[in-house]
Amino acid sequence: MKQPRNSRFRSVGMKLFVILFCTIVLLSSVLGLTSYYAAKGIITDQVAAASSQSIVQAADKLDFLFAEYEALSRQFAVDSILKADMETVSRPGAATVAKVDAEDRIRRKLDSVKGSDGRLLGIRLVSKSLVDAESYKSTGISSVRSAEGIQARVKQLDAAKGNPVWFPVRAKGFFDMYDQSSLTMGRLLRNMQHPEAEYYMLIEIKGQALTDILSNLHIGLTGEIRILDPDGNIVYGADNKLLGEPSYIHPAAEPAEGERQSFTASNEQGTSQLVVYQPLDTAKWTLMGYAPVSDFTKSADRLLYITLSVVLAAAVIALVIGYVLVRLIGRPLGKLAGLMEEGEQGNLQVRTHFKGQDEIGRLGHSFNKMMEQISLLAGQSSRSAAQVLATSEQLVNASSVTSTHAREVAAATGEIAHGAASLALEAESSNRNVERMNLQITEVKEINSAMDASAEKVITVSDQGAELMKTLVAQSESTVQMMELIQENSMKLRESAHLIRSILTPMIAVNKQTNILALNASIEAVRAGAAGRGFVVIANEIRGLADESNQSIAMVSKITEEISSRIENTVQVVGDTAPLFREQISSVRESSSIFEGVRAEMEQFIGYLNESSASITELMEYQHQLGESMASVHAVVQQTSASTEEVASMSSQQFTVSEELVALSGKLEKLAEELKQSLVSFHG
């Protein structure tokens, strides 16, 4: 049987194929991507650690450079000769020669410091009035200006109260007069005794000096190095146009102790950047370097291509393995499911041809054995149903015959009862006549003719009674024969009931075996798992049929028991009735003989009627004998009437039992036919 297209996708083989394929591809993908991202993370961490070390070393160099210039400014602050010269040039009453000599010494000192350090752009001692004529500078630098921005920066020096102040790199220097960038450190050279002799010392360092120090520091292939102030503004950068501008990427203000001084962030274009930084100890600035993460993870991208290759290879392998699984598992199970569906439709001739010794092969062998046992069971049940049907037909025929006989017996018994009632009426009438005879015995002579007529009437009645008695004897003998026939039929019905019990016994055993087979089939189906679902359906159907057969057999057994009980009652009633009929026949024969005696007496009475007048005493004796005879006849008639009524009642009961027996036989036949029809769908 060809499977529907959608059922193929729900087959066990296809499910195993999909599960295996998805599992292999998913595991390969997860493993590859996990390795890829783990490698990227490891590379990023390693680069971050190495870059952090580099940034720390560069920060140390900058701190060393800045500390050197701060030390230089402290030397100027504590230099007594410089201090005295500054007091001389700032004192109004100082001699001109002394003032010129002091100014010359100041300039030489500044030039010597500048000349000894090529990183310096210039060094100045700026008067607090920001007047160029009152200020001193090394050779080759621009003059002093007092622009608004310059005054704001000078106020920072006043606020520092003699401590060094570092100013960010400016593209044109501190006074915006140079053609190159410079970094400026300023300090107020204080003089507590002569405040007028206080000067601002400005050490201007070339921007190129910072570039030289940071030239060996590289973060990635396209990374940048920047120095930021506490507000996140750029103090130093490769592009002078960005000086003073806020940085899009900036680190935390105060990193926690032990926290790694690196992180990833996105730049203005949204590109992920690896950022490392190190705060400076001298200036309150932060040295920061960053580069795109892709600069470090390009080598890890090869893992992604390797992962894709492995996933493709795994998919191909999964396809091959899945195809093998479908052929080894899916197809045999599909064939077995199709055969089980045919078995569900009633075809018990289907068989598997699995040659393997694995679970599927064992399942196929078990399926074949189960189908063979079910076929045998169906055949045996069918034969048993046929036997039950034939027996039920015999039982129906026997019940019909019994019912007919019971109807005839009831009719004959009714006639006997009617005759007995008529006889009772006649006996009662005769008794009344005898009483009148007793009352008029004194007038026998006067009414001799009347007595003669009465005697003739008595003879006539006696003849009728004799005839009725003969008829009653004949009917009673017929009734006895019918009772014997009823007893014989009841014995046959009893034998039929025993035969039905003997037939039901193997059917009960067969049903038990069917239940055991269905239970074994259910166990095998559970062991088979999802592959045995169709097998479970067949087992449940077989168990259902066995239960229905068991119920039918139980019903037939119950009906048979009721029939047997009714038959036993009928046999007992018939057995109890037979002696009564025999006694009735004896009583009827005795009544007949009495009637004959009465007739003889009446004939003798007629013979002696002419002598009645002379023999009154003898007539009284005859009358007394006649009264006793009539009383006896009356008693016998009453007894016969009662016995006849009892026989009629028993005959009616037997007829009712026979009708019920016919109905039960019809039910048995119907149940047998239903059992046979329920087994027709199985083709064993």
Side-chain angles (χ1 to χ4, degrees), residues 379-403:
Q380 187 175 1
S381 299
S382 186
R383 290 191 294 272
S384 299
Q387 293 178 1
V388 171
L389 183 59
T391 304
S392 64
E393 291 176 354
Q394 295 177 2
L395 183 59
V396 168
N397 294 330
S399 300
S400 299
V401 173
T402 302
S403 177

mmCIF file with all atom_site columns, all heavy atoms in Angstrom, residues 379-403:
data_model
loop_
_atom_site.group_PDB
_atom_site.id
_atom_site.type_symbol
_atom_site.label_atom_id
_atom_site.label_alt_id
_atom_site.label_comp_id
_atom_site.label_asym_id
_atom_site.label_entity_id
_atom_site.label_seq_id
_atom_site.pdbx_PDB_ins_code
_atom_site.Cartn_x
_atom_site.Cartn_y
_atom_site.Cartn_z
_atom_site.occupancy
_atom_site.B_iso_or_equiv
_atom_site.pdbx_formal_charge
_atom_site.auth_seq_id
_atom_site.auth_comp_id
_atom_site.auth_asym_id
_atom_site.auth_atom_id
_atom_site.pdbx_PDB_model_num
ATOM 1   N N   . GLY A 1 379 ? -10.053 -18.534 12.835 1.00 0.00 ? 379 GLY A N   1
ATOM 2   C CA  . GLY A 1 379 ? -10.668 -19.733 12.274 1.00 0.00 ? 379 GLY A CA  1
ATOM 3   C C   . GLY A 1 379 ? -11.388 -20.554 13.326 1.00 0.00 ? 379 GLY A C   1
ATOM 4   O O   . GLY A 1 379 ? -12.513 -21.021 13.122 1.00 0.00 ? 379 GLY A O   1
ATOM 5   N N   . GLN A 1 380 ? -10.705 -20.714 14.474 1.00 0.00 ? 380 GLN A N   1
ATOM 6   C CA  . GLN A 1 380 ? -11.328 -21.488 15.545 1.00 0.00 ? 380 GLN A CA  1
ATOM 7   C C   . GLN A 1 380 ? -12.598 -20.805 16.050 1.00 0.00 ? 380 GLN A C   1
ATOM 8   O O   . GLN A 1 380 ? -13.622 -21.450 16.302 1.00 0.00 ? 380 GLN A O   1
ATOM 9   C CB  . GLN A 1 380 ? -10.336 -21.672 16.692 1.00 0.00 ? 380 GLN A CB  1
ATOM 10  C CG  . GLN A 1 380 ? -10.830 -22.611 17.792 1.00 0.00 ? 380 GLN A CG  1
ATOM 11  C CD  . GLN A 1 380 ? -9.755  -22.844 18.825 1.00 0.00 ? 380 GLN A CD  1
ATOM 12  O OE1 . GLN A 1 380 ? -8.676  -22.304 18.729 1.00 0.00 ? 380 GLN A OE1 1
ATOM 13  N NE2 . GLN A 1 380 ? -10.060 -23.663 19.832 1.00 0.00 ? 380 GLN A NE2 1
ATOM 14  N N   . SER A 1 381 ? -12.546 -19.479 16.185 1.00 0.00 ? 381 SER A N   1
ATOM 15  C CA  . SER A 1 381 ? -13.737 -18.737 16.628 1.00 0.00 ? 381 SER A CA  1
ATOM 16  C C   . SER A 1 381 ? -14.855 -18.853 15.607 1.00 0.00 ? 381 SER A C   1
ATOM 17  O O   . SER A 1 381 ? -16.035 -18.978 15.963 1.00 0.00 ? 381 SER A O   1
ATOM 18  C CB  . SER A 1 381 ? -13.372 -17.266 16.854 1.00 0.00 ? 381 SER A CB  1
ATOM 19  O OG  . SER A 1 381 ? -12.393 -17.140 17.845 1.00 0.00 ? 381 SER A OG  1
ATOM 20  N N   . SER A 1 382 ? -14.489 -18.825 14.327 1.00 0.00 ? 382 SER A N   1
ATOM 21  C CA  . SER A 1 382 ? -15.506 -18.945 13.286 1.00 0.00 ? 382 SER A CA  1
ATOM 22  C C   . SER A 1 382 ? -16.178 -20.320 13.331 1.00 0.00 ? 382 SER A C   1
ATOM 23  O O   . SER A 1 382 ? -17.404 -20.441 13.228 1.00 0.00 ? 382 SER A O   1
ATOM 24  C CB  . SER A 1 382 ? -14.861 -18.687 11.917 1.00 0.00 ? 382 SER A CB  1
ATOM 25  O OG  . SER A 1 382 ? -15.827 -18.649 10.910 1.00 0.00 ? 382 SER A OG  1
ATOM 26  N N   . ARG A 1 383 ? -15.347 -21.376 13.500 1.00 0.00 ? 383 ARG A N   1
ATOM 27  C CA  . ARG A 1 383 ? -15.923 -22.729 13.598 1.00 0.00 ? 383 ARG A CA  1
ATOM 28  C C   . ARG A 1 383 ? -16.814 -22.869 14.835 1.00 0.00 ? 383 ARG A C   1
ATOM 29  O O   . ARG A 1 383 ? -17.899 -23.469 14.780 1.00 0.00 ? 383 ARG A O   1
ATOM 30  C CB  . ARG A 1 383 ? -14.797 -23.776 13.625 1.00 0.00 ? 383 ARG A CB  1
ATOM 31  C CG  . ARG A 1 383 ? -14.056 -23.921 12.292 1.00 0.00 ? 383 ARG A CG  1
ATOM 32  C CD  . ARG A 1 383 ? -13.150 -25.131 12.318 1.00 0.00 ? 383 ARG A CD  1
ATOM 33  N NE  . ARG A 1 383 ? -12.077 -24.970 13.278 1.00 0.00 ? 383 ARG A NE  1
ATOM 34  C CZ  . ARG A 1 383 ? -10.918 -24.398 13.002 1.00 0.00 ? 383 ARG A CZ  1
ATOM 35  N NH1 . ARG A 1 383 ? -10.684 -23.930 11.777 1.00 0.00 ? 383 ARG A NH1 1
ATOM 36  N NH2 . ARG A 1 383 ? -9.988  -24.300 13.921 1.00 0.00 ? 383 ARG A NH2 1
ATOM 37  N N   . SER A 1 384 ? -16.339 -22.283 15.953 1.00 0.00 ? 384 SER A N   1
ATOM 38  C CA  . SER A 1 384 ? -17.154 -22.346 17.171 1.00 0.00 ? 384 SER A CA  1
ATOM 39  C C   . SER A 1 384 ? -18.459 -21.602 16.983 1.00 0.00 ? 384 SER A C   1
ATOM 40  O O   . SER A 1 384 ? -19.519 -22.033 17.446 1.00 0.00 ? 384 SER A O   1
ATOM 41  C CB  . SER A 1 384 ? -16.373 -21.744 18.345 1.00 0.00 ? 384 SER A CB  1
ATOM 42  O OG  . SER A 1 384 ? -15.190 -22.474 18.572 1.00 0.00 ? 384 SER A OG  1
ATOM 43  N N   . ALA A 1 385 ? -18.406 -20.465 16.295 1.00 0.00 ? 385 ALA A N   1
ATOM 44  C CA  . ALA A 1 385 ? -19.634 -19.696 16.036 1.00 0.00 ? 385 ALA A CA  1
ATOM 45  C C   . ALA A 1 385 ? -20.594 -20.505 15.173 1.00 0.00 ? 385 ALA A C   1
ATOM 46  O O   . ALA A 1 385 ? -21.819 -20.485 15.384 1.00 0.00 ? 385 ALA A O   1
ATOM 47  C CB  . ALA A 1 385 ? -19.286 -18.371 15.359 1.00 0.00 ? 385 ALA A CB  1
ATOM 48  N N   . ALA A 1 386 ? -20.044 -21.243 14.175 1.00 0.00 ? 386 ALA A N   1
ATOM 49  C CA  . ALA A 1 386 ? -20.909 -22.064 13.328 1.00 0.00 ? 386 ALA A CA  1
ATOM 50  C C   . ALA A 1 386 ? -21.577 -23.173 14.149 1.00 0.00 ? 386 ALA A C   1
ATOM 51  O O   . ALA A 1 386 ? -22.771 -23.465 13.983 1.00 0.00 ? 386 ALA A O   1
ATOM 52  C CB  . ALA A 1 386 ? -20.093 -22.663 12.187 1.00 0.00 ? 386 ALA A CB  1
ATOM 53  N N   . GLN A 1 387 ? -20.780 -23.786 15.056 1.00 0.00 ? 387 GLN A N   1
ATOM 54  C CA  . GLN A 1 387 ? -21.361 -24.823 15.904 1.00 0.00 ? 387 GLN A CA  1
ATOM 55  C C   . GLN A 1 387 ? -22.455 -24.256 16.810 1.00 0.00 ? 387 GLN A C   1
ATOM 56  O O   . GLN A 1 387 ? -23.513 -24.853 16.996 1.00 0.00 ? 387 GLN A O   1
ATOM 57  C CB  . GLN A 1 387 ? -20.268 -25.486 16.751 1.00 0.00 ? 387 GLN A CB  1
ATOM 58  C CG  . GLN A 1 387 ? -19.273 -26.301 15.926 1.00 0.00 ? 387 GLN A CG  1
ATOM 59  C CD  . GLN A 1 387 ? -18.180 -26.893 16.793 1.00 0.00 ? 387 GLN A CD  1
ATOM 60  O OE1 . GLN A 1 387 ? -18.176 -26.707 18.011 1.00 0.00 ? 387 GLN A OE1 1
ATOM 61  N NE2 . GLN A 1 387 ? -17.247 -27.614 16.171 1.00 0.00 ? 387 GLN A NE2 1
ATOM 62  N N   . VAL A 1 388 ? -22.185 -23.075 17.375 1.00 0.00 ? 388 VAL A N   1
ATOM 63  C CA  . VAL A 1 388 ? -23.192 -22.438 18.231 1.00 0.00 ? 388 VAL A CA  1
ATOM 64  C C   . VAL A 1 388 ? -24.450 -22.134 17.423 1.00 0.00 ? 388 VAL A C   1
ATOM 65  O O   . VAL A 1 388 ? -25.582 -22.308 17.888 1.00 0.00 ? 388 VAL A O   1
ATOM 66  C CB  . VAL A 1 388 ? -22.618 -21.154 18.865 1.00 0.00 ? 388 VAL A CB  1
ATOM 67  C CG1 . VAL A 1 388 ? -23.715 -20.365 19.563 1.00 0.00 ? 388 VAL A CG1 1
ATOM 68  C CG2 . VAL A 1 388 ? -21.533 -21.517 19.862 1.00 0.00 ? 388 VAL A CG2 1
ATOM 69  N N   . LEU A 1 389 ? -24.238 -21.676 16.180 1.00 0.00 ? 389 LEU A N   1
ATOM 70  C CA  . LEU A 1 389 ? -25.387 -21.345 15.332 1.00 0.00 ? 389 LEU A CA  1
ATOM 71  C C   . LEU A 1 389 ? -26.215 -22.601 15.034 1.00 0.00 ? 389 LEU A C   1
ATOM 72  O O   . LEU A 1 389 ? -27.454 -22.579 15.099 1.00 0.00 ? 389 LEU A O   1
ATOM 73  C CB  . LEU A 1 389 ? -24.897 -20.696 14.033 1.00 0.00 ? 389 LEU A CB  1
ATOM 74  C CG  . LEU A 1 389 ? -25.980 -20.214 13.064 1.00 0.00 ? 389 LEU A CG  1
ATOM 75  C CD1 . LEU A 1 389 ? -26.877 -19.182 13.739 1.00 0.00 ? 389 LEU A CD1 1
ATOM 76  C CD2 . LEU A 1 389 ? -25.341 -19.631 11.801 1.00 0.00 ? 389 LEU A CD2 1
ATOM 77  N N   . ALA A 1 390 ? -25.526 -23.717 14.691 1.00 0.00 ? 390 ALA A N   1
ATOM 78  C CA  . ALA A 1 390 ? -26.251 -24.955 14.405 1.00 0.00 ? 390 ALA A CA  1
ATOM 79  C C   . ALA A 1 390 ? -26.991 -25.456 15.646 1.00 0.00 ? 390 ALA A C   1
ATOM 80  O O   . ALA A 1 390 ? -28.160 -25.871 15.580 1.00 0.00 ? 390 ALA A O   1
ATOM 81  C CB  . ALA A 1 390 ? -25.269 -26.026 13.906 1.00 0.00 ? 390 ALA A CB  1
ATOM 82  N N   . THR A 1 391 ? -26.313 -25.403 16.798 1.00 0.00 ? 391 THR A N   1
ATOM 83  C CA  . THR A 1 391 ? -26.956 -25.844 18.041 1.00 0.00 ? 391 THR A CA  1
ATOM 84  C C   . THR A 1 391 ? -28.163 -24.982 18.377 1.00 0.00 ? 391 THR A C   1
ATOM 85  O O   . THR A 1 391 ? -29.200 -25.466 18.833 1.00 0.00 ? 391 THR A O   1
ATOM 86  C CB  . THR A 1 391 ? -25.935 -25.803 19.184 1.00 0.00 ? 391 THR A CB  1
ATOM 87  O OG1 . THR A 1 391 ? -24.809 -26.603 18.826 1.00 0.00 ? 391 THR A OG1 1
ATOM 88  C CG2 . THR A 1 391 ? -26.546 -26.354 20.467 1.00 0.00 ? 391 THR A CG2 1
ATOM 89  N N   . SER A 1 392 ? -28.013 -23.661 18.152 1.00 0.00 ? 392 SER A N   1
ATOM 90  C CA  . SER A 1 392 ? -29.135 -22.757 18.436 1.00 0.00 ? 392 SER A CA  1
ATOM 91  C C   . SER A 1 392 ? -30.316 -23.057 17.508 1.00 0.00 ? 392 SER A C   1
ATOM 92  O O   . SER A 1 392 ? -31.480 -22.975 17.919 1.00 0.00 ? 392 SER A O   1
ATOM 93  C CB  . SER A 1 392 ? -28.682 -21.299 18.274 1.00 0.00 ? 392 SER A CB  1
ATOM 94  O OG  . SER A 1 392 ? -28.309 -21.032 16.928 1.00 0.00 ? 392 SER A OG  1
ATOM 95  N N   . GLU A 1 393 ? -30.018 -23.437 16.246 1.00 0.00 ? 393 GLU A N   1
ATOM 96  C CA  . GLU A 1 393 ? -31.107 -23.806 15.344 1.00 0.00 ? 393 GLU A CA  1
ATOM 97  C C   . GLU A 1 393 ? -31.837 -25.057 15.841 1.00 0.00 ? 393 GLU A C   1
ATOM 98  O O   . GLU A 1 393 ? -33.081 -25.130 15.829 1.00 0.00 ? 393 GLU A O   1
ATOM 99  C CB  . GLU A 1 393 ? -30.558 -24.028 13.942 1.00 0.00 ? 393 GLU A CB  1
ATOM 100 C CG  . GLU A 1 393 ? -30.082 -22.730 13.263 1.00 0.00 ? 393 GLU A CG  1
ATOM 101 C CD  . GLU A 1 393 ? -29.456 -22.998 11.913 1.00 0.00 ? 393 GLU A CD  1
ATOM 102 O OE1 . GLU A 1 393 ? -29.289 -24.200 11.582 1.00 0.00 ? 393 GLU A OE1 1
ATOM 103 O OE2 . GLU A 1 393 ? -29.121 -22.020 11.193 1.00 0.00 ? 393 GLU A OE2 1
ATOM 104 N N   . GLN A 1 394 ? -31.060 -26.070 16.284 1.00 0.00 ? 394 GLN A N   1
ATOM 105 C CA  . GLN A 1 394 ? -31.683 -27.269 16.844 1.00 0.00 ? 394 GLN A CA  1
ATOM 106 C C   . GLN A 1 394 ? -32.523 -26.934 18.067 1.00 0.00 ? 394 GLN A C   1
ATOM 107 O O   . GLN A 1 394 ? -33.626 -27.448 18.264 1.00 0.00 ? 394 GLN A O   1
ATOM 108 C CB  . GLN A 1 394 ? -30.605 -28.296 17.212 1.00 0.00 ? 394 GLN A CB  1
ATOM 109 C CG  . GLN A 1 394 ? -29.842 -28.842 16.008 1.00 0.00 ? 394 GLN A CG  1
ATOM 110 C CD  . GLN A 1 394 ? -28.747 -29.796 16.432 1.00 0.00 ? 394 GLN A CD  1
ATOM 111 O OE1 . GLN A 1 394 ? -28.584 -30.074 17.618 1.00 0.00 ? 394 GLN A OE1 1
ATOM 112 N NE2 . GLN A 1 394 ? -28.005 -30.315 15.446 1.00 0.00 ? 394 GLN A NE2 1
ATOM 113 N N   . LEU A 1 395 ? -31.960 -26.027 18.898 1.00 0.00 ? 395 LEU A N   1
ATOM 114 C CA  . LEU A 1 395 ? -32.681 -25.630 20.107 1.00 0.00 ? 395 LEU A CA  1
ATOM 115 C C   . LEU A 1 395 ? -33.979 -24.908 19.754 1.00 0.00 ? 395 LEU A C   1
ATOM 116 O O   . LEU A 1 395 ? -35.014 -25.095 20.401 1.00 0.00 ? 395 LEU A O   1
ATOM 117 C CB  . LEU A 1 395 ? -31.785 -24.730 20.966 1.00 0.00 ? 395 LEU A CB  1
ATOM 118 C CG  . LEU A 1 395 ? -32.364 -24.273 22.303 1.00 0.00 ? 395 LEU A CG  1
ATOM 119 C CD1 . LEU A 1 395 ? -32.702 -25.479 23.181 1.00 0.00 ? 395 LEU A CD1 1
ATOM 120 C CD2 . LEU A 1 395 ? -31.369 -23.369 23.024 1.00 0.00 ? 395 LEU A CD2 1
ATOM 121 N N   . VAL A 1 396 ? -33.943 -24.093 18.703 1.00 0.00 ? 396 VAL A N   1
ATOM 122 C CA  . VAL A 1 396 ? -35.153 -23.390 18.262 1.00 0.00 ? 396 VAL A CA  1
ATOM 123 C C   . VAL A 1 396 ? -36.212 -24.397 17.794 1.00 0.00 ? 396 VAL A C   1
ATOM 124 O O   . VAL A 1 396 ? -37.405 -24.289 18.131 1.00 0.00 ? 396 VAL A O   1
ATOM 125 C CB  . VAL A 1 396 ? -34.810 -22.380 17.143 1.00 0.00 ? 396 VAL A CB  1
ATOM 126 C CG1 . VAL A 1 396 ? -36.085 -21.869 16.473 1.00 0.00 ? 396 VAL A CG1 1
ATOM 127 C CG2 . VAL A 1 396 ? -34.021 -21.215 17.707 1.00 0.00 ? 396 VAL A CG2 1
ATOM 128 N N   . ASN A 1 397 ? -35.774 -25.392 16.999 1.00 0.00 ? 397 ASN A N   1
ATOM 129 C CA  . ASN A 1 397 ? -36.727 -26.404 16.518 1.00 0.00 ? 397 ASN A CA  1
ATOM 130 C C   . ASN A 1 397 ? -37.343 -27.187 17.676 1.00 0.00 ? 397 ASN A C   1
ATOM 131 O O   . ASN A 1 397 ? -38.569 -27.390 17.735 1.00 0.00 ? 397 ASN A O   1
ATOM 132 C CB  . ASN A 1 397 ? -36.026 -27.362 15.556 1.00 0.00 ? 397 ASN A CB  1
ATOM 133 C CG  . ASN A 1 397 ? -35.581 -26.648 14.280 1.00 0.00 ? 397 ASN A CG  1
ATOM 134 O OD1 . ASN A 1 397 ? -36.222 -25.684 13.858 1.00 0.00 ? 397 ASN A OD1 1
ATOM 135 N ND2 . ASN A 1 397 ? -34.503 -27.113 13.669 1.00 0.00 ? 397 ASN A ND2 1
ATOM 136 N N   . ALA A 1 398 ? -36.451 -27.626 18.604 1.00 0.00 ? 398 ALA A N   1
ATOM 137 C CA  . ALA A 1 398 ? -36.961 -28.386 19.747 1.00 0.00 ? 398 ALA A CA  1
ATOM 138 C C   . ALA A 1 398 ? -37.912 -27.536 20.581 1.00 0.00 ? 398 ALA A C   1
ATOM 139 O O   . ALA A 1 398 ? -38.948 -28.005 21.069 1.00 0.00 ? 398 ALA A O   1
ATOM 140 C CB  . ALA A 1 398 ? -35.804 -28.882 20.610 1.00 0.00 ? 398 ALA A CB  1
ATOM 141 N N   . SER A 1 399 ? -37.576 -26.254 20.750 1.00 0.00 ? 399 SER A N   1
ATOM 142 C CA  . SER A 1 399 ? -38.433 -25.363 21.537 1.00 0.00 ? 399 SER A CA  1
ATOM 143 C C   . SER A 1 399 ? -39.772 -25.175 20.849 1.00 0.00 ? 399 SER A C   1
ATOM 144 O O   . SER A 1 399 ? -40.826 -25.102 21.501 1.00 0.00 ? 399 SER A O   1
ATOM 145 C CB  . SER A 1 399 ? -37.741 -24.010 21.722 1.00 0.00 ? 399 SER A CB  1
ATOM 146 O OG  . SER A 1 399 ? -36.526 -24.169 22.395 1.00 0.00 ? 399 SER A OG  1
ATOM 147 N N   . SER A 1 400 ? -39.761 -25.082 19.508 1.00 0.00 ? 400 SER A N   1
ATOM 148 C CA  . SER A 1 400 ? -41.026 -24.932 18.772 1.00 0.00 ? 400 SER A CA  1
ATOM 149 C C   . SER A 1 400 ? -41.913 -26.153 18.958 1.00 0.00 ? 400 SER A C   1
ATOM 150 O O   . SER A 1 400 ? -43.131 -26.046 19.183 1.00 0.00 ? 400 SER A O   1
ATOM 151 C CB  . SER A 1 400 ? -40.726 -24.706 17.286 1.00 0.00 ? 400 SER A CB  1
ATOM 152 O OG  . SER A 1 400 ? -39.969 -23.530 17.100 1.00 0.00 ? 400 SER A OG  1
ATOM 153 N N   . VAL A 1 401 ? -41.289 -27.369 18.836 1.00 0.00 ? 401 VAL A N   1
ATOM 154 C CA  . VAL A 1 401 ? -42.066 -28.597 19.034 1.00 0.00 ? 401 VAL A CA  1
ATOM 155 C C   . VAL A 1 401 ? -42.637 -28.649 20.444 1.00 0.00 ? 401 VAL A C   1
ATOM 156 O O   . VAL A 1 401 ? -43.811 -28.983 20.666 1.00 0.00 ? 401 VAL A O   1
ATOM 157 C CB  . VAL A 1 401 ? -41.169 -29.822 18.747 1.00 0.00 ? 401 VAL A CB  1
ATOM 158 C CG1 . VAL A 1 401 ? -41.910 -31.115 19.121 1.00 0.00 ? 401 VAL A CG1 1
ATOM 159 C CG2 . VAL A 1 401 ? -40.777 -29.851 17.270 1.00 0.00 ? 401 VAL A CG2 1
ATOM 160 N N   . THR A 1 402 ? -41.797 -28.290 21.429 1.00 0.00 ? 402 THR A N   1
ATOM 161 C CA  . THR A 1 402 ? -42.255 -28.299 22.825 1.00 0.00 ? 402 THR A CA  1
ATOM 162 C C   . THR A 1 402 ? -43.398 -27.329 23.026 1.00 0.00 ? 402 THR A C   1
ATOM 163 O O   . THR A 1 402 ? -44.381 -27.608 23.724 1.00 0.00 ? 402 THR A O   1
ATOM 164 C CB  . THR A 1 402 ? -41.080 -27.940 23.748 1.00 0.00 ? 402 THR A CB  1
ATOM 165 O OG1 . THR A 1 402 ? -40.025 -28.880 23.542 1.00 0.00 ? 402 THR A OG1 1
ATOM 166 C CG2 . THR A 1 402 ? -41.513 -28.000 25.207 1.00 0.00 ? 402 THR A CG2 1
ATOM 167 N N   . SER A 1 403 ? -43.270 -26.143 22.405 1.00 0.00 ? 403 SER A N   1
ATOM 168 C CA  . SER A 1 403 ? -44.333 -25.136 22.537 1.00 0.00 ? 403 SER A CA  1
ATOM 169 C C   . SER A 1 403 ? -45.637 -25.651 21.918 1.00 0.00 ? 403 SER A C   1
ATOM 170 O O   . SER A 1 403 ? -46.724 -25.470 22.478 1.00 0.00 ? 403 SER A O   1
ATOM 171 C CB  . SER A 1 403 ? -43.889 -23.834 21.862 1.00 0.00 ? 403 SER A CB  1
ATOM 172 O OG  . SER A 1 403 ? -44.909 -22.872 21.921 1.00 0.00 ? 403 SER A OG  1
#
